[in-house]
Amino acid sequence: MTGAEAVVKGIADDGGLFVPENFPSVTPAEFDALCGMDYPERAACILSKYFDEYDKKELLDAAKEAYAQFEDGDAAPLVRLDNGMYMLELFHGPTCAFKDMALTVLPHLLRKGCDLLGIKEKILILVATSGDTGKAALEGFRDKEGVKIMVFYPDDGVSKMQKLQMCTTDGDNVNVVAVRGNFDDCQTGVKRIMNSEKCKTLLKERGYLLSSANSINFGRLAPQIAYYFSAYCDLVTSDQIKFGDKVDFCVPTGNFGNILAAYYAKKMGLPVGKLVCASNKNCVLTDFFANGAYNAKRPFYRTMSPSMDILISSNLERLIFELSGRDAGKTAERMKSLSQTGKYSVGARELAAMRESFYADCTDEDGTVECMYDFFMDYGYPMDTHTGVAMSVAQRYEEKCKKDDPKADLNPIVVVSTASPYKFPQDVLYALTGNDVKDSFKGVKRIHLLTAMKVPESLKAIRYKPPRFKTVVGVDKMFEEVKKFL
Ligand SMILES: *Cc1c(COP(=O)(O)O)cnc(C)c1O
């Protein structure tokens, strides 16, 4: 199995996820070199360790092209706040969320992968989205030759801005469909289509091969590893830490893709302390890290951080695979139990290993709003609702560490900022001022007046654009839409 195959197939024939056979290491000398590089060079360097059959120069060109689409030069700037915390801002891409970090690169990994494998068919990409992946994937793949992309989103489960972003996408090879249901319904629906014989026959007839751009695709994961190395480099080059010092990362989590990339970075030798897994009111992961029992059978809440409103956290499969001592059989059993009963659990040794690397906590809507407000008032830093969840958890984590050991030196903590405040303008404005506005762009304008933060060009551009896509279907009609599209 090569990197190309993993990207093109997306998911293994038995429904399992692809994982690296081993974790390539980054030596101290290589790390030194990384520190002297710009972001595209750092990304290409990490990618080439997993995609060693790809041409290095082409990977670098792809990374340069991808990250040139980010506003203000640096694709992953690290910002120091006055309270000593660091923000890793991953939202300066074309769709204003961290999904751009990978989805601007994935089209290249896929196209090159098809070339390497001698694949002649066209590619159909099906995406289930809780809001941000959809738009980022549409932007990444629109007008790319030999590819069609179709995105399903939960009709009532995304913000107005996210919906507008997706439904105004240009390009002849794109389609966007709303589904009556929540994100898990969309994701399960897409998985069902991908595994159905009806679909396989249809695709064969039309000359298509199916692939996915969801966060379970290894081509999504690999580019995300790079920014953890990059953040660490930035801490070293700005003399905040010495090479070898441990750094904690706090990540707002839904499908466990972003934080898993941090875990992979650690496996590659990055000096990571704790990985803090932050959840919103849908705290299925917090409970799992507390007692080792995963239980998706629980009420589903719609929150201000919709991209984290997830009960079936797909990439967790890759973590429990590692924790089980890479036992594929055991992992498959657990995933089977998850799909049949909504539950599975891990043993005491695995739980201990999990808690060695991770700390998990959650916060409710009030806690998120309060934290966003406080940070704006105290440090003048506006953050989006997902980042608000992470910051709230990060603060509580620091307090706990201080209480547990008042004399200990705390690791520096980097909070991963996953979306622009302008992407969720109504909720952000509410958090900062207590005011409700009906119109997203009115929210954008007020936030701008309040914070003086620059409004991303991509959001300005969609303001007066009429939506192209208006179809809404039930979960059972998703396949019909795929048929029409092909
Ligand atoms: C997708 C997303 C998340 C969650 O990331 P996972 O990789 O699914 O854990 C958090 N915040 C924002 C803004 C997102 O778009």
Side-chain angles (χ1 to χ4, degrees), residues 97-99 132-133 215 224 252-259 307-308 310 384 386 418-419 424:
F98 92 95
K99 306 292 198 289
D132 292 333
T133 294
S215 70
Q224 292 176 178
T253 305
N255 244 332
F256 212 75
N258 197 351
I259 196 166
S307 299
M308 300 160 71
I310 288 169
D384 103 288
H386 303 75
T418 50
F424 302 91

Side-chain angles (χ1 to χ4, degrees), residues 237-254:
T237 54
S238 60
D239 288 330
Q240 306 289 309
I241 58 170
K242 288 192 311 300
F243 177 72
D245 289 351
K246 292 215 160 124
V247 173
D248 298 337
F249 289 94
C250 178
V251 188
T253 305

Side-chain angles (χ1 to χ4, degrees), residues 324-339:
S324 69
R326 310 205 114 203
D327 185 333
K330 205 178 219 175
T331 307
E333 246 168 60
R334 285 166 174 164
M335 289 305 112
K336 191 166 157 207
S337 161
L338 178 65
S339 74

